[in-house]
Amino acid sequence: MDFKFLQELIAPAQTKIAMIIMDGLGGLPLEPGGKTELETARTPNLDALAAQSALGLTIPVGPGITPGSGPGHLGIFGYDPIQYEIGRGALEALGVDFELGPDDVAARGNFCSVDAAGLVTDRRAGRIPTDMSKELVKLLRTIRIDGVEFFVETVKEHRFAFVMRGPGLGDALTDTDPQKIGKPALPVQALKPNSEKSAQLANQFIEQACKLLAGKHPANMILLRGFAKFPAMPKYRDIFGLNAAAIAVNGMYRGVARLVGMQVLDVDGTGIADEFATLEKNWNDFDFFYLHVKQTDTAGEAGDFASKVRVIEEVDALMPRLMALKPDVVIVSGDHSSPAVLKSHSWHPVPTLLYSKHVRADGIAEFGERTCARGSLGVLPAKDVMPIALANAQRITKYGA
Amino acid sequence: MDFKFLQELIAPAQTKIAMIIMDGLGGLPLEPGGKTELETARTPNLDALAAQSALGLTIPVGPGITPGSGPGHLGIFGYDPIQYEIGRGALEALGVDFELGPDDVAARGNFCSVDAAGLVTDRRAGRIPTDMSKELVKLLRTIRIDGVEFFVETVKEHRFAFVMRGPGLGDALTDTDPQKIGKPALPVQALKPNSEKSAQLANQFIEQACKLLAGKHPANMILLRGFAKFPAMPKYRDIFGLNAAAIAVNGMYRGVARLVGMQVLDVDGTGIADEFATLEKNWNDFDFFYLHVKQTDTAGEAGDFASKVRVIEEVDALMPRLMALKPDVVIVSGDHSSPAVLKSHSWHPVPTLLYSKHVRADGIAEFGERTCARGSLGVLPAKDVMPIALANAQRITKYGA
């Protein structure tokens, strides 16, 4: 079922959909036979909502595939993350809240160490502290070349985002990272004729950077990889007929939401309660809200089971504030799993709850991985959740007579 | 899995498959936490059969999509309803039991009202009574143009089916309905060169109709829309190796069955018991039977929960007559959901039961939405049911060595 098919069936309605995404929500028990983070958490509000909802397990990208944050979000947003790939350079720029334009070419940058012969001795420049990186980024920002504008943004430690802006820039470019030490950085090469100009400009930038950084060992050179433009994504308004808002604190999620055409709202503060306050404040102005909770994933990746449980309980305690707004459809899910025992993202399907007054409720009064496995949504691609939500919001008309 | 793949594995067998379709079977509770129509109905025979069956929930078209009767049936018949789209004109002709030929071009017709300047004042001619419509259709049938044959069939009130038969007619044609009052009817335009001739003929027909209806206000003009040929569908005999029969009272379902190559049987009467009698009478002559029960959908669309329950109970009481014939495979399902609380078709998955002596039975002795959600067929596309039924009928050979 492609967007073109769906688009023709979309009808306007006065209904509101709220999607609460706990990043990395899915988990695993600490010991065989035990409970997951979500099953351990005391979640009276989510459990009560589950009783009136259809439950299921979503597969973000495909069976066995562990998604990054970009693809994970595209999935639950309703896009096939394999079809709509976000290049690594574009993701890096999104991650630092850089407003990437449609013609900009972005790349991931590393400071690295080279010896007198120009051979790479450390691909990460000894993971220099972020403060030092920020100073070096200021140096790189002094580079000027006619016909193009460069942007350099510190990410963390040796990492920075690199963006070229100008007319006629293609992104079919090779990486400069030789992937091994003892080799020289590679020149950027164009893989298509439309990228010849980009290749030249990137190489000129690198040449000047090399001169500017000459005395700055261990960060005396740069490597660029993952050149990518912002992918042209169909927008929420066009494919779903939704005036959508995004509530997220971190740049990456704000960037992916912007990519699909959501208006990214300012959050006054960085706490989860601050995000719910933003939801309340803007409730009348949009018909779709995506609210992102980062802390579940942070705890999962840190291997901190108890902390992930606490974050889930915090979200649960805030749920009455959402329900008081009387949303027509509520989705509670994650963009992927991040089990504390694995200390990383994982491929496990994600517990998902879909509430509306028109849903065929499963009558299961517990929101957890094992209850969701018994739910009537089944095990489904994450991208299928949005059409079901739209149907429940009475925003899809009948197909055929 | 496409038909070409399946086709090569199909093997003959002396087995019989019966598919009982209760139209709009899927439902919703009247109140949160309550029972659906099917769960409310007393169905001892279906429950006993469920205990020996695999259960599941079928998605007729796609997640969140509410199917019309045409696409809903194509799904449970084993076709992808998005790939095999039936145009609205063809559906209208099927609906009045018109035997649409492969080269005929059909459209939906409306009588409408126009003022002296030819501007549409009522797109539905005040919904004139069907009797009046029948008289006007007789007038339209007098229109003769060289090289083409016209057919006009009353549907209901202001609606009629219009068919052009002749060589070289394409169906890439625009509608004449201006969609708004105060505008003139639009001319039919060809969207492809192969449809130029059709456009000319349709416009000549409209011109003559306009003259014939001049004094017949409020029905003094016609509008045509949804021009479509009968889609070329692969047939049951070719793709499934089945000699298939259809038992249905209403034209639409008889038409869709004919479309996929089923022989449409005459039913002596219009009751559900009459359909089961037809099944018994023809049992020896076919190896697949589709039996359609319209009344579940009629009750659902009317919002009559109790009546839908009664129809399901009536079907249940007739099931022993089917089982006495010792079918090898039985499918009990619907073409879509029509919950009485929604008074319309809906997107909700459809409870489905598949019985055979080779099925891996779930041992769940209740046929209902929530029990089907726990069944081993899972939540599956409706089109996947037929291959599973064929396998249970030992009609599919091994793939690969």
Side-chain angles (χ1 to χ4, degrees):
Chain A
M1 203 169 80
D2 60 16
F3 288 141
K4 202 171 162 301
F5 174 80
L6 189 62
Q7 211 168 359
E8 290 182 7
L9 299 175
I10 292 290
Q14 296 303 315
T15 50
K16 288 185 194 287
I17 303 172
M19 176 187 274
I20 309 296
I21 296 299
M22 286 185 258
D23 204 303
L25 175 62
L28 284 172
L30 286 172
E31 290 176 15
K35 290 181 171 187
T36 66
E37 297 90 323
L38 178 58
E39 290 167 349
T40 302
R42 230 192 116 261
T43 53
N45 296 305
L46 286 168
D47 292 346
L49 192 60
Q52 306 172 60
S53 299
L55 305 182
L57 289 171
T58 49
I59 299 181
V61 176
I65 304 303
T66 296
S69 300
H73 269 82
L74 287 187
I76 194 69
F77 285 170
Y79 300 76
D80 178 348
I82 297 177
Q83 185 184 350
Y84 296 100
E85 197 181 349
I86 310 177
R88 301 186 79 84
L91 267 177
E92 195 79 332
L94 292 178
V96 291
D97 236 341
F98 184 86
E99 291 235 15
L100 206 59
D103 298 322
D104 296 354
V105 174
R108 285 192 167 182
N110 271 15
F111 289 106
C112 68
S113 315
V114 290
D115 63 16
L119 304 181
V120 175
T121 57
D122 185 335
R123 292 170 53 236
R124 296 183 186 84
R127 293 190 185 274
I128 51 167
T130 306
D131 284 346
M132 190 185 298
S133 189
K134 281 185 180 168
E135 291 305 312
L136 297 172
V137 159
K138 283 182 193 165
L139 265 185
L140 297 183
R141 285 179 179 162
T142 64
I143 298 174
R144 299 277 179 274
I145 296 175
D146 277 352
V148 65
E149 201 174 354
F150 295 111
F151 301 89
V152 192
E153 302 288 341
T154 305
V155 175
K156 195 181 165 186
E157 299 173 344
H158 58 287
R159 286 166 55 197
F160 59 87
F162 169 79
V163 177
M164 299 190 282
R165 177 173 295 169
L169 300 183
D171 65 354
L173 300 169
T174 60
D175 295 351
T176 76
D177 189 336
Q179 295 292 339
K180 285 183 189 168
I181 59 170
K183 304 256 181 187
L186 305 167
V188 179
Q189 292 184 308
L191 297 169
K192 290 182 187 169
N194 74 356
S195 302
E196 295 285 358
K197 183 176 168 187
S198 311
Q200 272 180 21
L201 292 168
N203 285 322
Q204 288 171 30
F205 182 92
I206 293 166
E207 198 185 321
Q208 294 202 29
C210 186
K211 286 176 193 162
L212 286 170
L213 298 172
K216 306 289 182 185
H217 192 277
N220 61 349
M221 180 53 171
I222 60 168
L223 299 174
L224 299 176
R225 61 198 166 99
F227 287 93
K229 286 190 168 188
F230 214 41
M233 301 281 293
K235 301 292 186 264
Y236 255 46
R237 181 176 294 283
D238 300 325
I239 51 175
F240 299 146
L242 290 173
N243 181 20
I247 301 169
V249 171
N250 300 69
M252 159 79 84
Y253 313 98
R254 295 169 66 87
V256 178
R258 198 179 294 121
L259 191 61
V260 299
M262 296 185 195
Q263 184 168 330
V264 180
L265 303 179
D266 289 328
V267 180
D268 191 9
T270 59
I272 306 171
D274 300 323
E275 296 188 293
F276 275 75
T278 305
L279 180 74
E280 290 165 332
K281 199 171 123 190
N282 292 275
W283 186 250
N284 292 328
D285 300 334
F286 298 90
D287 36 42
F288 177 93
F289 293 87
Y290 150 64
L291 188 152
H292 178 255
V293 175
K294 175 65 185 167
Q295 293 87 331
T296 28
D297 182 59
T298 308
E301 294 210 53
D304 189 342
F305 189 99
S307 166
K308 189 169 165 193
V309 169
R310 277 196 306 275
V311 176
I312 295 169
E313 290 178 344
E314 185 181 348
V315 173
D316 183 80
L318 290 163
M319 285 301 291
R321 288 175 64 176
L322 166 61
M323 299 313 292
L325 300 170
K326 302 202 180 306
D328 297 282
V329 179
V330 176
I331 300 152
V332 182
S333 186
D335 56 338
H336 56 77
S337 294
S338 283
V341 289
L342 294 181
K343 295 187 183 181
S344 67
H345 291 202
S346 79
W347 63 91
H348 301 86
V350 185
T352 299
L353 162 168
L354 194 143
Y355 159 83
S356 100
K357 75 171 176 232
H358 303 299
V359 86
R360 191 187 285 150
D362 295 325
I364 302 174
E366 190 198 328
F367 185 43
E369 281 81 352
R370 274 167 285 198
T371 52
C372 285
R374 303 199 328 254
S376 62
L377 293 178
V379 182
L380 76 170
K383 73 182 171 66
D384 289 353
V385 172
M386 272 304 292
I388 301 172
L390 289 163
N392 275 281
Q394 310 229 289
R395 287 174 171 272
I396 307 185
T397 55
K398 188 163 71 175
Y399 169 60
Chain B
M1 204 171 75
D2 61 15
F3 289 140
K4 200 172 163 304
F5 174 80
L6 188 62
Q7 211 167 357
E8 289 180 8
L9 302 176
I10 292 289
Q14 295 304 314
T15 50
K16 287 184 194 288
I17 303 172
M19 174 187 275
I20 309 296
I21 296 301
M22 285 184 260
D23 204 303
L25 176 62
L28 284 173
L30 286 173
E31 290 176 15
K35 291 182 171 186
T36 66
E37 296 91 323
L38 178 59
E39 290 168 349
T40 303
R42 233 194 112 259
T43 53
N45 297 304
L46 286 167
D47 292 347
L49 192 60
Q52 306 172 61
S53 299
L55 306 182
L57 289 171
T58 48
I59 298 180
V61 175
I65 303 302
T66 296
S69 300
H73 268 82
L74 287 187
I76 195 68
F77 284 171
Y79 299 77
D80 178 347
I82 297 177
Q83 185 184 349
Y84 296 100
E85 198 182 348
I86 311 177
R88 299 183 82 84
L91 267 176
E92 195 80 331
L94 292 178
V96 291
D97 236 343
F98 184 86
E99 291 237 14
L100 206 59
D103 298 323
D104 297 354
V105 174
R108 285 194 166 180
N110 270 16
F111 289 105
C112 70
S113 314
V114 291
D115 63 16
L119 305 180
V120 175
T121 56
D122 185 336
R123 291 169 56 236
R124 296 182 185 85
R127 293 190 185 272
I128 51 167
T130 306
D131 284 348
M132 191 187 295
S133 188
K134 281 187 178 167
E135 290 305 310
L136 297 172
V137 159
K138 282 182 192 164
L139 264 184
L140 297 182
R141 285 179 178 162
T142 64
I143 297 173
R144 298 277 179 275
I145 297 174
D146 277 352
V148 64
E149 201 176 353
F150 294 110
F151 301 88
V152 191
E153 302 287 342
T154 305
V155 174
K156 195 182 166 185
E157 299 173 342
H158 57 288
R159 286 167 55 197
F160 59 86
F162 169 78
V163 177
M164 299 189 283
R165 177 173 294 166
L169 301 183
D171 64 354
L173 300 170
T174 60
D175 295 351
T176 76
D177 189 337
Q179 294 292 338
K180 284 182 188 168
I181 59 170
K183 304 254 179 189
L186 305 166
V188 179
Q189 292 183 309
L191 297 168
K192 289 184 188 167
N194 74 356
S195 302
E196 295 286 358
K197 184 177 167 187
S198 311
Q200 272 180 21
L201 293 168
N203 285 322
Q204 289 172 28
F205 182 91
I206 293 168
E207 198 187 321
Q208 295 203 27
C210 186
K211 285 176 192 161
L212 287 171
L213 298 172
K216 306 291 182 185
H217 191 276
N220 60 350
M221 179 55 172
I222 61 169
L223 298 173
L224 299 177
R225 61 199 166 97
F227 287 93
K229 286 190 168 189
F230 214 39
M233 303 280 293
K235 302 293 186 265
Y236 256 46
R237 180 174 295 284
D238 300 325
I239 52 176
F240 299 146
L242 290 173
N243 181 22
I247 302 170
V249 171
N250 300 69
M252 160 79 86
Y253 313 97
R254 296 168 66 87
V256 178
R258 197 178 296 121
L259 192 61
V260 299
M262 296 187 194
Q263 184 169 330
V264 181
L265 304 180
D266 290 328
V267 180
D268 190 10
T270 59
I272 307 171
D274 300 324
E275 296 187 295
F276 276 75
T278 305
L279 181 74
E280 290 165 332
K281 200 172 123 190
N282 292 275
W283 186 251
N284 292 328
D285 300 335
F286 299 91
D287 36 41
F288 177 93
F289 293 86
Y290 150 63
L291 189 152
H292 177 256
V293 175
K294 175 64 185 168
Q295 292 88 332
T296 27
D297 181 60
T298 309
E301 294 211 53
D304 190 343
F305 191 99
S307 164
K308 190 169 165 192
V309 170
R310 277 196 305 275
V311 176
I312 295 169
E313 291 178 344
E314 186 181 346
V315 172
D316 183 80
L318 290 162
M319 286 299 292
R321 288 174 64 176
L322 165 60
M323 299 313 293
L325 300 169
K326 305 204 178 303
D328 297 281
V329 179
V330 176
I331 300 152
V332 182
S333 185
D335 55 339
H336 55 77
S337 292
S338 283
V341 289
L342 293 180
K343 295 188 182 182
S344 67
H345 292 200
S346 80
W347 62 90
H348 300 86
V350 185
T352 300
L353 163 169
L354 194 142
Y355 159 83
S356 96
K357 76 172 175 229
H358 305 299
V359 86
R360 190 186 287 146
D362 295 324
I364 302 174
E366 191 198 327
F367 185 44
E369 280 82 352
R370 274 169 284 199
T371 53
C372 284
R374 304 199 326 254
S376 62
L377 293 177
V379 182
L380 76 167
K383 72 182 172 68
D384 290 353
V385 172
M386 272 304 292
I388 302 172
L390 289 162
N392 275 281
Q394 311 228 289
R395 286 173 172 272
I396 307 185
T397 56
K398 188 163 67 176
Y399 170 60

